[in-house]
Amino acid sequence: MSGGEVAGILVAVFWAILVSFLALVLVRLAQTLKATTKMVAEVSEQAVPLLADASATVRSAHTQLARVDAIAADVQEVTANASALSSTVSSAFGGPLVKVAAFGYGVRRAIGMKGEPESRRTVVPGRILPGARRGGRRNRRSKD
Protein backbone atom coordinates (compact mmCIF):
# COMPACT_ATOMS: atom_id res chain seq x y z
CA MET A 1 0.00 0.00 0.00
CA SER A 2 1.21 3.32 -0.87
CA GLY A 3 1.21 6.44 1.30
CA GLY A 4 -1.67 7.95 -0.68
CA GLU A 5 -3.84 4.91 -0.08
CA VAL A 6 -3.10 4.98 3.69
CA ALA A 7 -3.90 8.67 3.78
CA GLY A 8 -7.16 8.00 1.90
CA ILE A 9 -8.12 5.26 4.40
CA LEU A 10 -7.35 7.57 7.35
CA VAL A 11 -9.44 10.35 5.82
CA ALA A 12 -12.30 7.90 5.22
CA VAL A 13 -12.15 6.65 8.84
CA PHE A 14 -12.11 10.18 10.25
CA TRP A 15 -14.92 11.08 7.85
CA ALA A 16 -17.00 8.10 9.11
CA ILE A 17 -16.34 9.09 12.75
CA LEU A 18 -17.39 12.68 12.00
CA VAL A 19 -20.58 11.57 10.24
CA SER A 20 -21.41 9.20 13.15
CA PHE A 21 -20.86 12.03 15.64
CA LEU A 22 -23.07 14.38 13.60
CA ALA A 23 -25.77 11.69 13.31
CA LEU A 24 -25.74 11.26 17.11
CA VAL A 25 -26.04 15.04 17.60
CA LEU A 26 -28.94 15.19 15.14
CA VAL A 27 -30.77 12.34 16.93
CA ARG A 28 -30.42 14.10 20.29
CA LEU A 29 -31.51 17.39 18.74
CA ALA A 30 -34.60 15.68 17.34
CA GLN A 31 -35.44 14.29 20.80
CA THR A 32 -35.00 17.76 22.35
CA LEU A 33 -37.27 19.29 19.71
CA LYS A 34 -39.95 16.64 20.37
CA ALA A 35 -39.82 17.32 24.12
CA THR A 36 -39.96 21.08 23.50
CA THR A 37 -42.93 20.69 21.17
CA LYS A 38 -44.75 18.57 23.75
CA MET A 39 -44.02 21.12 26.52
CA VAL A 40 -45.22 24.05 24.37
CA ALA A 41 -48.44 22.16 23.62
CA GLU A 42 -49.04 21.52 27.34
CA VAL A 43 -48.34 25.14 28.22
CA SER A 44 -50.72 26.29 25.48
CA GLU A 45 -53.44 23.98 26.81
CA GLN A 46 -53.04 25.45 30.31
CA ALA A 47 -52.51 29.05 29.20
CA VAL A 48 -55.72 29.37 27.19
CA PRO A 49 -58.05 28.77 30.18
CA LEU A 50 -55.87 31.01 32.38
CA LEU A 51 -56.10 33.80 29.83
CA ALA A 52 -59.86 33.36 29.64
CA ASP A 53 -60.09 33.59 33.45
CA ALA A 54 -57.86 36.66 33.48
CA SER A 55 -60.01 38.30 30.82
CA ALA A 56 -63.17 37.61 32.84
CA THR A 57 -61.50 39.01 35.96
CA VAL A 58 -60.48 42.17 34.13
CA ARG A 59 -64.03 42.61 32.83
CA SER A 60 -65.40 42.17 36.35
CA ALA A 61 -62.89 44.66 37.75
CA HIS A 62 -63.86 47.15 35.06
CA THR A 63 -67.52 46.77 36.02
CA GLN A 64 -66.71 47.26 39.71
CA LEU A 65 -64.59 50.33 38.92
CA ALA A 66 -67.49 51.82 36.98
CA ARG A 67 -69.72 51.27 40.03
CA VAL A 68 -67.15 52.80 42.36
CA ASP A 69 -66.81 55.78 40.03
CA ALA A 70 -70.58 56.32 40.14
CA ILE A 71 -70.58 56.03 43.94
CA ALA A 72 -67.70 58.49 44.22
CA ALA A 73 -69.55 60.97 42.01
CA ASP A 74 -72.65 60.61 44.21
CA VAL A 75 -70.59 61.10 47.37
CA GLN A 76 -69.00 64.20 45.87
CA GLU A 77 -72.43 65.59 45.05
CA VAL A 78 -73.70 64.84 48.57
CA THR A 79 -70.62 66.50 50.06
CA ALA A 80 -71.17 69.60 47.95
CA ASN A 81 -74.83 69.70 48.99
CA ALA A 82 -73.92 69.29 52.67
CA SER A 83 -71.35 72.08 52.40
CA ALA A 84 -73.89 74.37 50.74
CA LEU A 85 -76.49 73.52 53.38
CA SER A 86 -73.99 74.13 56.17
CA SER A 87 -73.02 77.53 54.82
CA THR A 88 -76.70 78.44 54.30
CA VAL A 89 -77.64 77.44 57.86
CA SER A 90 -74.59 79.24 59.22
CA SER A 91 -75.39 82.45 57.40
CA ALA A 92 -79.12 82.27 58.16
CA PHE A 93 -78.99 81.34 61.84
CA GLY A 94 -75.42 82.16 62.88
CA GLY A 95 -75.80 85.91 63.28
CA PRO A 96 -79.15 85.85 65.09
CA LEU A 97 -78.06 83.01 67.39
CA VAL A 98 -74.93 84.93 68.41
CA LYS A 99 -77.08 87.96 69.14
CA VAL A 100 -79.54 85.91 71.23
CA ALA A 101 -76.66 84.29 73.14
CA ALA A 102 -75.10 87.70 73.83
CA PHE A 103 -78.45 89.07 74.97
CA GLY A 104 -78.96 86.06 77.27
CA TYR A 105 -75.50 86.53 78.74
CA GLY A 106 -76.18 90.20 79.34
CA VAL A 107 -79.50 89.42 81.05
CA ARG A 108 -77.89 86.78 83.28
CA ARG A 109 -75.09 89.14 84.19
CA ALA A 110 -77.53 91.94 84.97
CA ILE A 111 -79.65 89.65 87.14
CA GLY A 112 -76.55 88.27 88.87
CA MET A 113 -75.21 91.73 89.69
CA LYS A 114 -78.54 93.02 90.93
CA GLY A 115 -77.85 92.29 94.63
CA GLU A 116 -74.13 93.31 94.66
CA PRO A 117 -72.89 96.66 95.98
CA GLU A 118 -72.14 99.40 93.44
CA SER A 119 -68.38 99.32 94.04
CA ARG A 120 -68.11 95.74 92.84
CA ARG A 121 -70.25 96.43 89.76
CA THR A 122 -68.13 99.13 88.29
CA VAL A 123 -65.39 98.12 85.98
CA VAL A 124 -62.25 100.20 86.06
CA PRO A 125 -59.86 99.62 83.19
CA GLY A 126 -56.37 98.75 84.34
CA ARG A 127 -57.48 97.93 87.88
CA ILE A 128 -55.67 94.97 89.47
CA LEU A 129 -57.79 92.56 91.43
CA PRO A 130 -56.89 91.89 95.03
CA GLY A 131 -54.97 88.69 95.75
CA ALA A 132 -58.02 86.82 97.06
CA ARG A 133 -59.89 87.30 93.78
CA ARG A 134 -57.10 86.15 91.49
CA GLY A 135 -57.79 82.52 92.20
CA GLY A 136 -56.22 79.83 94.25
CA ARG A 137 -53.38 78.90 91.90
CA ARG A 138 -49.88 78.86 93.25
CA ASN A 139 -46.82 79.76 91.30
CA ARG A 140 -45.27 76.56 89.97
CA ARG A 141 -41.74 77.79 90.50
CA SER A 142 -42.18 78.41 94.21
CA LYS A 143 -41.56 75.57 96.65
CA ASP A 144 -44.36 76.56 99.15
Side-chain angles (χ1 to χ4, degrees):
M1 259 205 210
S2 70
E5 290 176 346
V6 172
I9 291 176
L10 286 175
V11 169
V13 169
F14 285 123
W15 184 255
I17 292 173
L18 179 66
V19 168
S20 299
F21 178 73
L22 287 176
L24 181 65
V25 168
L26 286 176
V27 167
R28 289 197 177 166
L29 181 64
Q31 290 174 351
T32 304
L33 286 175
K34 282 182 185 179
T36 304
T37 304
K38 183 179 176 184
M39 187 183 337
V40 167
E42 290 174 0
V43 167
S44 296
E45 288 175 5
Q46 294 175 359
V48 171
L50 287 176
L51 289 175
D53 290 343
S55 177
T57 303
V58 168
R59 272 189 246 117
S60 174
H62 179 68
T63 304
Q64 295 299 326
L65 283 176
R67 288 180 184 167
V68 167
D69 189 34
I71 290 170
D74 291 342
V75 167
Q76 185 178 9
E77 184 178 339
V78 167
T79 303
N81 290 341
S83 176
L85 179 64
S86 173
S87 64
T88 302
V89 167
S90 176
S91 65
F93 296 115
L97 284 177
V98 168
K99 290 177 184 176
V100 168
F103 178 73
Y105 176 74
V107 168
R108 278 186 283 143
R109 181 125 190 231
I111 291 173
M113 295 180 94
K114 194 174 188 180
E116 292 183 11
E118 184 67 31
S119 65
R120 290 192 71 182
R121 276 192 256 164
T122 51
V123 176
V124 179
R127 180 175 167 211
I128 298 175
L129 295 174
R133 297 230 23 234
R134 282 192 196 172
R137 293 187 187 181
R138 294 182 2 209
N139 192 352
R140 291 186 183 189
R141 287 188 230 154
S142 67
K143 305 247 180 189
D144 293 336

